[in-house]
Every structure is written in structure tokens, then in C-alpha cells.
Amino acid sequence: MRHLPFMNKGIKTGKESEGEKSMIRFNVPPYTGREVEYMQKAIENQHICGDGEFTKKCSAYLEKLTGTRKCLLTTSCTHALEMAALLCDIKEGDEVILPSYTFVSTADAFVLRGATPVFVDIRPDTMNIDETLIEAAITERTKVIAVVHYAGVACEMDTIMDIAKRHHLLVVEDAAQAIMCSYKGKPLGTIGDFGCFSFHETKNFSMGEGGALLIRDEKYIEAAEILREKGTDRSKYFRGQVDKYRWMNYGSSYLPSEMNAAYLYAQLEVADKINQTRLERWKQYYELLSPLQEAGKIELPVIPEGCVQSGHMFYIKTKNQEERARLIAFMKENDILTVFHYVPLHSAPAGLKFGRFHGEDIYTTKESERLLRLPMFYQLTGKQVELIAGKVKEFYGA
Ligand SMILES: *Cc1c(COP(=O)(O)O)cnc(C)c1O
């Protein structure tokens, strides 16, 4: 392999700082070793725009992994959600039911098309949308239920799909955190009409910025390809199915560069190893912190029967927001970065402007104020997990 100038400086993988007195970061982007080699290959292929060798390899891998009919690599999960909103034919005045405890993109994708986000409360055990509250929020304007599998733990999909079927609604899965996760044996992202993955640097598998759209029903594939390729049938042209490509419909540019896909492929190749490592760290946290839960000091994540997660996130719940702030400060004094998560969308400026909350906010705000995420990334070592869990215990005087 030829040397690229920046390689002389070496790439920080997050492991070499061990021993030095340094911060344990909350996240370090995944790096497995062959990323640069594959990016160089993309350069040597002289194909660095989208849909080359590495994009094809990544999509094929994801299609095999999930068993979905079609997987299109995108520039982000946000863009995959936007594509899903367009494919759902969201129009001004439509309503979309979703949890308020989520990342902005779940709502943005639909708001951009003129829809009103209708938030319902979450379940305190999984932090996912409370499936028992969805039906009461449906009106004649409702078009989509957008679910979020928080921390890669599945929503109660049997109930949700049943509601969607009875009310003729589409289901979009924000599976940004849920690659390699499943519900009753079904891979997340493949149960609803559309599934959206993220390959942002904070996710289990990364390409810097990137994502994927999973399409369950064959009837949407052609429209999705056109949408992703600036409204043209260029995908068909490249497969030799048409002799010239033309402007077919509205569209945008949702395909990532080969450079990014090459980075991602290096990780997908060792996806099992990444997954195993993360699950080990997750389990280690869980075991080390269980005594604190038994003593009633904190709460640990709940993984319902039938749900397989992928160690995307490890969080604890403190007594309240004030205790959480003290714990964050204590951990920081000990050079460990811990972070809270979403500020509920319905109480944020744009949420107040664009959306409404249906029913009562019993858990969304209260539980979001207690949740604290501990460092979790591929390069995190078992020793670091011990150290972090030890500090949490010290804080609680255990
Ligand atoms: C990360 C994330 C997104 C956004 O992903 P991007 O690839 O950064 O656009 C959307 N929804 C959820 C739940 C996420 O965790």
C-alpha cells in the first residue's frame, strides 16, 4: 500500500492513549484498520463519486444482513428519513405520530414536507413510543407512524404494525441506532414500510456522515432510485436497462461518495467482531452496576423479551436531573465524559411551532431528565469500563 501523507502521523484509534493520563471520551469514531487501504482503492479505481465498488459492496452486505428487498446507501440517516417521507407522499397538513424523545431528524423529515408531528408519550422501560397510546392519536389526517428504536431496543412492533394495518397507515422505522438488532427474530429496519440506518461517526458502523434506506415493498424501489439520483433514471442506465437517462420526477442527491463507502466497508467486513465487542462492554457495565440497581440507587436499561440489541448505548437513570448534573460533574473531575440525551422535541422551539403533544407527558420529560449515557465505543477497553463503573459506584458511596 502506498503511503498517503497523513498516514505518517498515524491515526488515533482511541487505544494508544491508554496509560497516559487523559480523558475517556464519550465517543471515538470506529476504526478497524483497513479503512485507509479501501479509500486508497477507491482513488485508484478512479471512481470516487457514488455507486461504485464500495457502495455496491456495502448495500449488498446490508441486504444480506437484514434480508431486506432493497438497501440504498444515503448521505445520512436524516436523508434516508427525508426519502422515506417523500416516498410516503407526505403532503401539507398530513400528520405523523412519533415519540417526542428522539433526535430532531425523525420529525424534520416530515416537517420539511409540511406535515404536523403529533407526539405521544414514551414507555419508561425502553424509552420507546408507548404503543398503547398511538391509536388514540390517530385522526383522518394521520398518514405515518414513525417509530424510533432507542438504543437499538425494538419498539413493540407487532402492536404497531397491527394498528397501521387497521388504519391504513405507513410505518417508518428510525433504526439509526439499531443495525444488527432485532424484534422476535426480525431485523429492525425491515418490519415497517421503510427503515433508516445511520453511519454517523457516533454509530456502531460509520462512514463519517452516511446512512441507508431499507425498502420492504418492491413497488417503491424504482421511485426511490429516481429520488436519490436527482430525479433521473441513472441507476437503470448504469445497469444497462435504458440507453439514456432522463429527468423522470422530482429528486435530490442522496448518494454518498465512494470515499465514505470505502471507510464503511472496512467496518462492515468485521461487523460481527464490532458487535461482539460492544455487547461485551455493555454486559460488563450491566454486571458491574447491577448492585447499584439492587440497592435502589440507579436504574439500568430494560431489554424486553424478544429484543436483541447491539450495545449501541449504555445508559443509567439517576434519581432526578439534579443528581444527574452532580454525577456528570463528578465523572468529569475524574476525566470521564458522560452525556445526557434528547431534550424532548415537543418542548423545543421548533416542536412548539410545528407540532403538538397528544395526551399527557407522563414519562417523556421526567425520564429524559434522569437518563445519562456512559462512554461506549468500539475501541473502549474492558479496563476502561471497570474504571468508569468504579467511579459511578464511588459517587453513590458503594
Ligand atoms: C443518529 C440519529 C439520527 C441521525 O442520523 P444522521 O446519519 O446523523 O443523519 C436520526 N435518528 C436517530 C434516532 C439517531 O440516533
Side-chain angles (χ1 to χ4, degrees), residues 75-79 81 102-103 105-106 148 174 176-177 197-200 202-203 209-211 312 341-342:
T75 29
S76 64
C77 177
T78 304
H79 276 167
L81 287 160
T102 182
F103 189 58
S105 302
T106 327
V148 182
D174 181 339
Q177 305 171 10
F197 284 165
S198 173
F199 301 117
H200 184 261
T202 51
K203 301 304 196 301
E209 300 277 357
H312 171 65
H341 215 177
Y342 312 126

Side-chain angles (χ1 to χ4, degrees), residues 63-90:
E63 279 166 11
K64 190 151 175 251
L65 176 79
T66 61
T68 188
R69 202 146 287 140
K70 190 76 186 171
C71 168
L72 295 173
L73 223 55
T74 60
T75 29
S76 64
C77 177
T78 304
H79 276 167
L81 287 160
E82 280 182 29
M83 284 182 71
L86 282 158
L87 292 164
C88 290
D89 198 27
I90 293 292

